[in-house]
Amino acid sequence: MSVDHPCPPAETAAVPAMSVVVIVYNDASRLTTAVRSVLDQTLRGVEVVIVDDRSTDGSYDVAQRLAAAHPDRVRAFRLPENSGGCGAPRNHGIQQARGDYVLFLDSDDVLERNACRNMLEAAESTGADLVSGLCVRVHVDSRTGKEVKWYPWLYDRTRTLESISELPDLLVFDTLSTNKCYRRQFLLDEGLEFPVGIHYEDLLFSAQAYVAARRITLIPNRVYDWRIVDKPKTAVKSISNRRDEIANFTHRMEIHRRVDQLLADHGLLELKFAKDVKWLKHDLVLHLRELPFRDETYRQEFAQIARTYLESIDRVAFDEIEPIHAICAYLLHEADWDNLLPAVDTLSNRDKISSPLVEHEGRVYWCAEHIEDDDFARHVLDVTELGYHAKPVEKMFLRNALTGYAETDGTVRLAGRITNPLGVIPPDARLSAQLEFYARRPGVRFQTFRFPVATVRHEGEAIAWEASADLAKGLRPLGIVDAVWDVRLQLAVAGEGEGAGTVRTTTRLTASEPELAQGHLPVRPRLTRLVADRIEPEVSSRGHLSFRLVPDKKANELVQRGVQGPTGRLAKTGYRKVKALRKELASGDTKLRVYHDVFSRLPVKKGLVVFESHLGRQYSDSPKAIYEEMRRQGLEFEAVWAYADSPQGFPDDATLVRRWSLPYLKALAQAEYWVDNQSYPLKVNKRPETTYIQTWHGSALKRMGFDEPEWKLKSREEQAEQQRTLDRFDRFLIRSEHDVRTLARAFRLQERTLLRVGYPRNDALVQAKEREEATGQRERGALAAEFGIPEDKQILLYAPTFRQRGGKRRFELPFDVERFADTFGDRYVLLVRSHYLNHVVLPPSVRGRVIDVTDYHDMTPLLGLADGLITDYSSVMFDYSLLDRPMFFFTYDYDEYVHEGRGTYFDLLERAPGPVVRTEDELHAVLESLEEQKVKYAAPRERFVADFGEFDQGNAAQSIVDQFFSQWRRA
């Protein structure tokens, strides 16, 4: 192949340490910047080999000028014809390189200034054939300077691998060729070249290099800036982004097949499995998201190509990906388009419920098809653990598929079908709805335009609707900053009968078929028609219907001239300043300044009490008990309750403020009393005039505070800061001397702070026991009826401690809940109360026999309801012991929790007031008879209460009110 190269012969120049191959095609404007990033390297012995892929825009002229300006460091070559990809120019660059090491650089990217030095030093010191460093995606046209590190966990430290098998994630995730340097002799000896005539060449080349390398070194240094330009939709897409072309997917799959064959030839089956997982949850997903926008021909070709590859994937890989990813892959293999396309909607819109679902033999499945005779289908399509069946309609994000679109005289007529999963919207519900049009751009949603929905009705497994919206008259945008308008439908569901409430759910309109919504409608912007004269439908990247203002071309030129001119720039600068100021005012630092510099200068308000429980997540615990005792005694005071997410469930006779809001901080600054069971914001200083009553939320089994290993490892400054937050407590409630020896010491509290009165939340438990002893009868109260528990069933409460697995809050029950229900369902109803920071999902097969009560705010009534408690290490054991009822300790992970965690203050195995079991079978055995366990462990329960509940006498709330708030009693 003849190649143009107006440069001196290689033997006349000094041999460089490193050659950087810069490939270019029609990128004359950016080539100089790329080459300059090489010439400016702190390592001086670096040459630039520019290979032009027969550009037509003058790129080669730029390359020649650079070579002429730096004859000793830059050489320029041009291929005889355009190759259509990156492989051929890079291969030619390898042939022309003279350095001991080779790097690849694209003309629109740059090298970090120390990249060559850092990579060379790593290669020379470790003898690696391949050195790889951190790549950073730099969004060059982002006003905020957005940067995203490319799989940074691979580069958290320097490490050398003797084989790619030591770190499969490297081959699976970092498939770039450009953030690496290669020993040139290694490339030549192994005959490594990029494939030509096919896209995604990096995937195969990187895999070949990883597998062939005798040693690979990774360095934590930034080496390569992948410069991203957020181009408009009209711009030419890069090869990898042309997912609307079936050839793109064909090339990707051919490369994957070649990589698979490479791994098979080298016996690297574990790498093949890891790559399968990544393909299912990344590569395939990229193309699946495009399916709603593609026509039938594309879909069929795509499915045929994908189906063949899916058959080569180990089915075990489906267990390693998100459920919706597995569902889509399976339905694609089956070419089940009726169920696949809605599933893709959920793939693109997290938490959207796009299927009507089906309940079968006590489990919930994505669809009814495929599950009768196919075990694998049942496994993949089982969505019970996602908890869709447990959600009320107001907490559901439902698919709303657009089924009709028409325009007439400025009016758009729309129709759609809203998914009704498992019939959550009952047939007898009264339905109404309205369409809402609102500007997409945050900060400019000055007005929402609403149009009534004329028809809403049940239609099989969906809710059908039809509406007309006169956009010509009813939609009045500004016209410049609100160019895109999104649409949503608010569905109201009202129950039958007197007193039945109304709930609402919001849906987006999914354009379920390509080309369904077309046309244009006239509009009258408030800034005159010079801004825009019509609005056209378009589909967002997530598949939702929206409308875009389209200006008259000539008028738009005038407007754009004004926008780009001095007046327009001034207006945009002012807007950005206002937006930045608003963001700053909403920041935590600003709120703290307002608290300390403004609110704390206001006078303290006598009689103002701020209550908070579990960081505002609940209306519960001892703060609730104190508050209700104050109300019962008729005290005159101003009550403020803090809530974190929703005010639902909090008292109507108090002022409710959102935690961390300005009204919340103002109330804290002016309060005479704080009453809390965990902690008010750590950086909020308490004024001397405010009394902080810390009720705390449980006695301690696990080590706390400065007794925890991680607290001991903190710096002096960090420990001092933590101590300052603890020193805010004026009173700390104690329920036993065990609390003094543990919590008080761990928090380094002074003796004068301790208040030995017990926990107000436990007053109800002590009083319940006293009533039972006096009357010989158990009182269940209204809560049992609320949960629908029959009189002939005993009640067990399962209340484990907090657990966190890999950052996930979902708590998986450590026993087979269906087996439990089948075994004990005729005797017991099991209440499941996970920690308030966890949540649990129960299958519908246990409905009525096992009940999730996690969302019930207050734990105390649940304890009073239960005939027996199953727990592990939770402090609930100390509270429940006051009832003198059976307790069971299911410590399936005892060794890990006690010995590998933060440790405990005493050995639970020795002092537990009930049987301690490790296995599910052992748990079932001890649950056979509550009465037997009650008698057997009577003495240990008595000792337990004496040791850990000596101050709980049933009058803690009254004692606190008498000591601190009695002056507010009415005369």
Side-chain angles (χ1 to χ4, degrees), residues 570-583:
L570 181 62
K572 286 188 286 185
T573 300
Y575 169 75
R576 289 169 187 161
K577 286 182 178 179
V578 170
K579 188 176 179 181
L581 178 60
R582 184 170 61 182
K583 182 177 180 180

Side-chain angles (χ1 to χ4, degrees), residues 79-309:
L79 299 186
E81 59 185 24
N82 177 250
S83 68
C86 301
R90 285 177 182 161
N91 290 338
H92 188 76
I94 295 172
Q95 297 170 13
Q96 298 297 331
R98 296 176 297 149
D100 293 330
Y101 297 91
V102 177
L103 279 79
F104 301 107
L105 174 64
D106 292 344
S107 60
D108 53 348
D109 300 329
V110 295
L111 292 181
E112 194 276 334
R113 191 165 181 267
N114 298 293
C116 292
R117 178 181 298 280
N118 288 331
M119 299 179 95
L120 178 64
E121 289 178 353
E124 295 288 88
S125 62
T126 64
D129 291 326
L130 185 160
V131 175
S132 189
L134 180 66
C135 171
V136 178
R137 290 168 60 96
V138 179
H139 293 256
V140 295
D141 53 359
S142 168
R143 291 197 299 268
T144 60
K146 179 181 177 182
E147 295 187 352
V148 180
K149 296 178 180 178
W150 185 255
Y151 301 112
W153 80 85
L154 295 171
Y155 299 99
D156 57 353
R157 68 183 190 278
T158 299
R159 51 182 156 178
T160 297
L161 313 174
E162 301 298 328
S163 167
I164 187 61
S165 297
E166 296 177 27
L167 188 60
D169 278 356
L170 184 61
L171 178 141
V172 170
F173 292 99
D174 190 358
T175 57
L176 301 177
S177 65
T178 49
N179 60 332
K180 300 169 178 62
C181 87
Y182 311 83
R183 195 180 298 274
R184 185 167 64 93
Q185 197 58 47
F186 159 69
L187 297 179
L188 298 176
D189 291 345
E190 297 294 335
L192 292 181
E193 290 187 338
F194 289 87
V196 177
I198 187 170
H199 304 318
Y200 301 102
E201 54 278 293
D202 269 25
L203 273 70
L204 181 58
F205 180 83
S206 296
Q208 291 172 330
Y210 284 143
V211 170
R214 290 159 296 181
R215 184 169 293 166
I216 302 168
T217 295
L218 308 182
I219 60 175
N221 308 83
R222 179 175 184 163
V223 298
Y224 194 91
D225 282 7
W226 180 355
R227 293 163 68 85
I228 307 296
V229 178
D230 297 324
K231 298 177 181 177
K233 292 184 178 181
T234 55
V236 178
K237 295 181 179 178
S238 65
I239 293 171
S240 60
N241 284 326
R242 296 174 194 166
R243 289 188 286 274
D244 55 337
E245 301 173 5
I246 195 65
N248 181 287
F249 187 61
T250 303
H251 284 213
R252 184 188 287 267
M253 297 319 302
E254 175 59 28
I255 288 292
H256 274 285
R257 291 189 188 93
R258 295 187 192 183
V259 173
D260 290 346
Q261 188 60 53
L262 169 73
L263 299 178
D265 292 344
H266 287 79
L268 299 172
L269 297 183
E270 72 282 1
L271 292 181
K272 167 67 165 63
F273 178 81
K275 193 181 78 66
D276 284 348
V277 172
K278 193 251 187 175
W279 184 84
L280 284 171
K281 67 182 182 182
H282 176 72
D283 300 68
L284 179 60
V285 168
L286 289 177
H287 290 269
L288 282 172
R289 286 175 174 156
E290 297 291 319
L291 288 182
F293 307 104
R294 306 282 80 86
D295 59 24
E296 185 65 21
T297 300
Y298 178 97
R299 292 175 183 176
Q300 294 299 332
E301 290 185 49
F302 174 82
Q304 184 176 355
I305 296 168
R307 188 179 301 119
T308 303
Y309 193 76

Side-chain angles (χ1 to χ4, degrees), residues 712-744:
K712 294 178 180 178
L713 295 175
K714 292 179 182 289
S715 66
R716 287 185 179 180
E717 292 76 13
E718 289 172 322
Q719 290 192 23
E721 179 65 25
Q722 189 66 50
Q723 188 63 57
R724 279 193 290 273
T725 67
L726 297 171
D727 289 343
R728 294 180 302 176
F729 303 161
D730 294 298
R731 290 291 187 269
F732 187 88
L733 269 55
I734 297 294
R735 60 192 306 260
S736 72
E737 290 301 318
H738 168 76
D739 290 353
V740 178
R741 295 188 298 270
T742 56
L743 291 172

